[in-house]
Amino acid sequence: MNYASLEKAAPRLTLLATLGVFVALMFPLLKSYPFSDDWSYLAVLPAGSLLTLDWVFGLHNDHRIPIQKLLHYLLLKSSGGDFRLLMMLNMAFAAVTAYCWMQIACLMRDGRRSFGDAVIPLILLGGGFNAVSWGFSFQFVSSVAFVSLSAWFAIWYLRGLMHHGVEYAFICLTLCAWSGANGIISSGLLGAALVLLCAWELRRQSNTRRFARLSSVALWFLTLGGLIATWRPSGATSQSENGLAENLPPFVLGMSKSWMGVFAVPLGTVKLIAALAILCVASLLALWLFWGSYRRRERHAFEHLVILAVLGQTVATILVVAVSRAVAQPWTPWLELHYGFLTTLIPLAAWAILSRHMPRRIERFASVVLIVFAGQMYYANTSWRIRSLREGYPKVAAAQAALLSSQDPSAAVNENMSEYYYLDNPDARKAITGAIPLLRQVPLWQPGPQTPQR
């Protein structure tokens, strides 16, 4: 195998290896039962329950997430209630995201492969995010995946390799808008960049092509407008602004570096400086290249605009999440596990544009440095996650055994509340106590002489 073949194979092998680590070492130790927001699915899972449009399209806190609800419903119904499959879906969408950015980076380099693309799955499929352990993280993973697919289709189109790439991109952005409030932000900003491309090319298209493109734009615009018009803030979002001024800066800075995970670099200042440097350099380069190319009326200027929009939507998401959540709680490093996946497009978009404009030798050297850094980051976060799952599995097994038995729900909650919900208060205990009888109507959780993990 020659050097070029190794460059082509390394990122794909890394993607397969990271998926393999999840399937072999994490998946068997995950909770088969609902955790926190996952208990909301008991409204439709038991036999005789109705899957209604009100439930599918209704608000869950701040978010309308019908795609997530439908996919999760189908997985849970088909498996009889194995909630581990929700995490498998998370990792499948993370793998799709990784593949998109491996392809985007390759397209930006005029089809040239790079060892550095291996950092993409190392960032996305590590154990540093709750996507590997909590089904409801799909809300974050899906919005990032749909943005990535949209960017890939757009750049594929701009490279002359997909005739209807822009239309497919707007369809992906429409799906992204149904991925919660974070998806609305991402869909709106990347969609605005693609609207500029549509306006720039409008007069050059046939009537048939113009109709197809305008239809996709209209679908995206009406969906986005309808979601914004019908949005209602949840209790957390509508809190008073006491503490906002104090909590907001740490929240913004903390989220900006959270794509590295909790344990990747022990020194938070080092992580922050590296994250901000990558973001600033990539954004300024994308802006400079776009403006220069646009002034020369060059079509590939919009490739740089797409990258800039991806970076911009991530920054906007960070700001909106920080403003809405800093009123409720100060920033803590553990929130990187929850919100970190939303920020992963910063290093991915940065690598796509920086590797395009590096001299070949510098790009190869940078690839080695980045693989070492991302490899260490992946190892630190994933080894912690695996160790945490192994150490916590006796409690998980006990909590599963309680659900599979005929034990009184209130007793099961008293003994295992921390394994069923991330909060422990009277309202949460009451909700889980009422949901356990519903769970026991689902095939996999009907009481009997089963083992804790089937």
Side-chain angles (χ1 to χ4, degrees):
M1 182 179 288
N2 57 31
Y3 188 84
S5 298
L6 283 172
E7 282 192 309
K8 182 178 180 180
R12 297 180 181 181
L13 291 175
T14 303
L15 176 57
L16 291 175
T18 51
L19 276 174
V21 167
F22 170 76
V23 172
L25 301 179
M26 288 186 260
F27 182 79
L29 302 173
L30 297 177
K31 296 174 179 176
S32 299
Y33 53 83
F35 180 73
S36 293
D37 297 61
D38 296 340
W39 287 95
S40 64
Y41 293 122
L42 272 303
V44 294
L45 284 181
S49 300
L50 295 177
L51 186 67
T52 65
L53 290 177
D54 285 344
W55 182 82
V56 172
F57 289 94
L59 280 168
H60 182 90
N61 295 330
D62 294 329
H63 314 288
R64 296 194 193 276
I65 46 175
I67 297 171
Q68 171 176 324
K69 287 181 177 180
L70 286 172
L71 289 177
H72 283 184
Y73 174 81
L74 292 173
L75 285 174
L76 293 171
K77 271 293 189 181
S78 63
S79 67
D82 189 344
F83 281 77
R84 293 176 301 173
L85 294 181
L86 307 189
M87 282 71 87
M88 184 70 79
L89 182 67
N90 288 344
M91 297 307 283
F93 269 64
V96 168
T97 304
Y99 186 77
C100 285
W101 284 98
M102 287 158 55
Q103 295 300 110
I104 289 171
C106 180
L107 288 170
M108 294 287 289
R109 293 190 299 266
D110 300 322
R112 178 169 52 81
R113 302 287 178 175
S114 171
F115 275 120
D117 295 344
V119 306
I120 296 171
L122 291 174
I123 290 172
L124 289 169
L125 279 80
F129 309 120
N130 282 339
V132 303
S133 64
W134 186 30
F136 241 79
S137 291
F138 184 80
Q139 179 198 323
F140 296 159
V141 177
S142 61
S143 65
V144 172
F146 287 132
V147 164
S148 302
L149 281 166
S150 180
W152 182 25
F153 286 137
I155 292 177
W156 213 352
Y157 166 79
L158 290 166
R159 290 276 164 166
L161 300 173
M162 179 174 282
H163 189 62
H164 291 285
V166 173
E167 288 83 350
Y168 296 147
F170 274 108
I171 291 173
C172 289
L173 290 179
T174 302
L175 296 175
C176 183
W178 287 111
S179 299
N182 49 286
I184 292 174
I185 298 166
S186 301
S187 176
L189 288 177
L190 182 53
L194 295 182
V195 166
L196 291 178
L197 170 61
C198 293
W200 192 70
E201 293 188 333
L202 186 61
R203 293 184 179 180
R204 309 176 187 182
Q205 297 170 342
S206 65
N207 290 335
T208 302
R209 182 67 183 282
R210 190 179 298 139
F211 175 79
R213 181 164 292 187
L214 290 176
S215 297
S216 66
V217 173
L219 175 64
W220 162 79
F221 182 79
L222 293 173
T223 301
L224 201 64
L227 287 170
I228 292 172
T230 58
W231 179 78
R232 297 294 181 270
S234 69
T237 303
S238 59
Q239 292 184 47
S240 67
E241 296 183 2
N242 294 331
L244 179 60
E246 179 182 354
N247 293 339
L248 184 58
F251 220 105
V252 171
L253 295 176
M255 279 196 67
S256 299
K257 61 183 175 60
S258 60
W259 55 266
M260 299 184 195
V262 175
F263 298 103
V265 181
L267 301 176
T269 302
V270 174
K271 291 169 67 174
L272 179 60
I273 292 173
L276 293 180
I278 290 170
L279 174 61
C280 292
V281 171
S283 299
L284 291 173
L285 178 61
L287 180 61
W288 179 66
L289 291 170
F290 165 70
W291 183 244
S293 299
Y294 185 78
R295 290 180 64 185
R296 295 189 296 271
R297 310 299 293 174
E298 295 172 351
R299 187 166 178 262
H300 70 261
F302 289 95
E303 295 176 9
H304 305 128
L305 182 61
V306 167
I307 298 298
L308 186 62
V310 169
L311 292 169
Q313 64 85 25
T314 304
V315 172
T317 300
I318 290 172
L319 293 174
V320 172
V321 170
V323 169
S324 64
R325 292 295 173 257
V327 298
Q329 61 187 129
W331 174 263
T332 63
W334 289 101
L335 288 173
E336 294 172 354
L337 293 169
H338 184 59
Y339 293 116
F341 203 90
L342 288 172
T343 67
T344 51
L345 295 189
I346 291 175
L348 309 190
W351 172 247
I353 194 165
L354 291 173
S355 66
R356 165 69 178 87
H357 295 281
M358 288 179 183
R360 183 68 167 136
R361 290 184 178 180
I362 294 177
E363 182 261 312
R364 285 178 172 171
F365 174 76
S367 294
V368 174
V369 172
L370 290 174
I371 288 174
V372 170
F373 176 75
Q376 184 275 335
M377 183 174 74
Y378 175 85
Y379 175 79
N381 288 314
T382 303
S383 61
W384 164 79
R385 178 69 72 176
I386 293 171
R387 184 170 62 252
S388 177
L389 289 172
R390 287 174 175 170
E391 292 173 353
Y393 187 73
K395 292 182 179 180
V396 171
Q400 291 179 166
L403 295 173
L404 288 165
S405 71
S406 300
Q407 184 180 18
D408 181 76
S410 61
V413 168
N414 288 335
E415 295 174 5
N416 305 286
M417 184 59 187
S418 63
E419 300 302 316
Y420 297 148
Y421 208 85
Y422 79 100
L423 293 175
D424 188 354
N425 57 45
D427 289 340
R429 283 177 172 259
K430 181 179 179 181
I432 303 305
T433 301
I436 288 177
L438 296 175
L439 180 65
R440 288 173 175 170
Q441 297 175 33
V442 178
L444 190 64
W445 298 100
Q446 292 175 359
Q450 296 95 339
T451 57
Q453 180 87 14
R454 292 186 284 179

